[in-house]
């Protein structure tokens, strides 16, 4: 039997390494690509306020729950559930996490591939003020080969890093990538805010418009909170399983949430001022990053440089999230089936690449193939957002609240003691508020969809 945190399984070299890896997982396409347009189309600051409340009320307890399960057992989800509830079928929920990681990474990698290809297109100077960016984007995602090659490249990099393990792979790369990401954010936000006419963008982003708030907005806010904090699929259980016994959970949890939220907000400060400075449409939805922004960069001074930086930023953010998605799948095979890390990363990475192929082709060659009226890409996205992640969150809160027991989780969170003590409120949230809120969201989300 593995003792918690024994060496052969590996552990973070430093607590900063863990914090960087966990925030790297949280900060991704969800912050830089998705968050700004969700805010932009859901009532700006009004949405923001609701989102912040939900992050505190639902995100924080769930994050604490995942971190304590991981730290206490020193195991990835399936093995952790087996250790805490021996002889039961609870380990099966860990299998759902593995499947979720598999599904999300398959199409996440496709979008990351778009970002990488746009980085090279921008660097090579292929865009000019005359370019029809909508046509370029549609042309790109509808074509068969190019997006697939970038999907392959992105998966190969992800596999290469995960192969090298926790310290030499993940920790070493996030130590470079996360500071780089922060620097890029700062440069871009300064560029955007100093464009003439940027103030209109700020007031659009920050002016609360409560008339836009509907039950649907609240659903989107919860969905966004889960997705952006990488909750509900055992990423945080897995990463925390490599923590040493003396690391402090509450500080790390607040750090992850704080940095993730800050970066999402800053991404909005980059995008909206720039879009308004050039009188473009802020509610362009998913095309905001790939159509509207390249158009912005083609027209502003230094646009080539800043445009390249933006797509580099997007690619780096996606990479540090992809690492955590693959790690969930790989650590399951290492812990449960004694696979070598190299074999697990290569083989699972390859299968994830294969699942991404129909997702990529679903915009072009295979667009005729639909499930419940959605193309394959949208179907996978729907599956993770409306079913897999909320279901995972529900299972974790029930497991921690009633099977392992919330007070045990709280004890782990408060040991060793740090300035911020988790009180009894945590038990109430984990046992009652979370399961109820998540179940309601799932039901309303599904009713609304069909
Ligand atoms: N949090 C990541 C993002 O914001 C996405 C993600 C979801 C990563 C679930 C891991 C697990 O892009």
């Amino acid at each position: 039997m593995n003792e918690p945190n024994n060496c052969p399984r590996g552990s973070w070299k430093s607590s900063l390494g863990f914090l960087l890896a966990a925030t790297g997982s949280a900060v991704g396409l969800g912050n830089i690509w998705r968050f700004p347009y969700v805010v932009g189309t859901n009532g700006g600051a009004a949405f923001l306020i609701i989102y912040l409340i939900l992050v505190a009320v639902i995100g924080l307890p769930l994050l604490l729950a995942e971190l304590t399960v991981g730290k206490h057992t020193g195991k990835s989800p399936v093995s952790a559930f087996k250790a805490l509830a021996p002889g039961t079928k609870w380990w099966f929920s860990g299998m759902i996490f593995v499947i979720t990681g598999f599904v999300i990474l398959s199409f996440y990698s496709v979008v990351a591939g778009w970002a990488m290809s746009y980085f090279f297109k921008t660097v090579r100077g292929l865009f000019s003020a005359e370019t029809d960016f909508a046509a370029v984007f549609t042309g790109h995602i509808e074509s068969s080969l190019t997006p697939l090659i970038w999907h392959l490249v992105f998966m190969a990099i992800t596999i290469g890093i995960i192969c090298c393990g926790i310290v030499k792979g993940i920790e070493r790369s996030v130590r470079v990538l996360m500071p780089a990401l922060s620097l890029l954010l700062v440069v871009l936000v300064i560029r955007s805010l100093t464009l003439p006419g940027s103030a209109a963008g700020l007031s659009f982003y920050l002016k609360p418009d409560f008339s836009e708030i509907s039950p649907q907005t609240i659903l989107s806010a919860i969905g966004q909170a889960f997705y952006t904090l990488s909750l509900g699929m055992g990423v945080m259980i897995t990463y925390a399983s490599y923590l040493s016994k003396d690391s402090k959970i509450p500080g790390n949890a607040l750090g992850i949430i704080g940095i993730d939220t800050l970066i999402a907000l800053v991404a909005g400060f980059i995008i909206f001022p720039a879009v308004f400075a050039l009188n473009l449409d802020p509610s362009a939805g998913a095309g905001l990053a790939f159509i509207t922004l390249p158009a912005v960069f083609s027209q502003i001074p230094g646009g080539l440089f800043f445009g390249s930086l933006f797509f580099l930023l997007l690619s780096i953010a996606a990479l540090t999230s992809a690492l955590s998605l693959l790690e969930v799948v790989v650590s399951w095979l290492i812990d449960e089936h004694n696979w070598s890390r190299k074999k697990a990363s290569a083989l699972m990475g390859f299968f994830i690449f294969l699942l991404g192929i129909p997702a990529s082709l679903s915009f072009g060659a295979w667009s005729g193939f639909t499930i419940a009226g959605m193309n394959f890409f949208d179907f996978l996205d729907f599956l993770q957002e409306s079913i897999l992640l909320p279901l995972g969150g529900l299972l974790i809160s029930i497991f921690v609240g009633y099977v392992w027991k919330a007070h045990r989780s709280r004890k782990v969170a408060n040991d060793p003691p740090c300035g911020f003590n988790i009180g009894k409120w945590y038990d109430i949230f984990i046992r009652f508020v979370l399961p109820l809120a998540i179940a309601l969201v799932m039901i309303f989300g599904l009713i609304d969809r069909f």
Side-chain angles (χ1 to χ4, degrees), residues 292-317:
T292 318
L293 277 185
V296 170
F297 291 124
S298 71
Q299 294 175 41
I300 61 174
L304 185 83
F305 176 68
F306 292 108
S308 311
L309 291 191
F310 177 77
F311 287 109
L312 185 62
L313 170 78
L314 207 54
S315 309
I316 292 178

Side-chain angles (χ1 to χ4, degrees), residues 91-106:
W91 61 270
F92 196 75
S93 47
M95 281 314 300
I96 298 179
F97 301 162
V98 173
I99 295 168
T100 311
F102 209 93
V103 167
I104 297 186
L105 186 50
S106 71

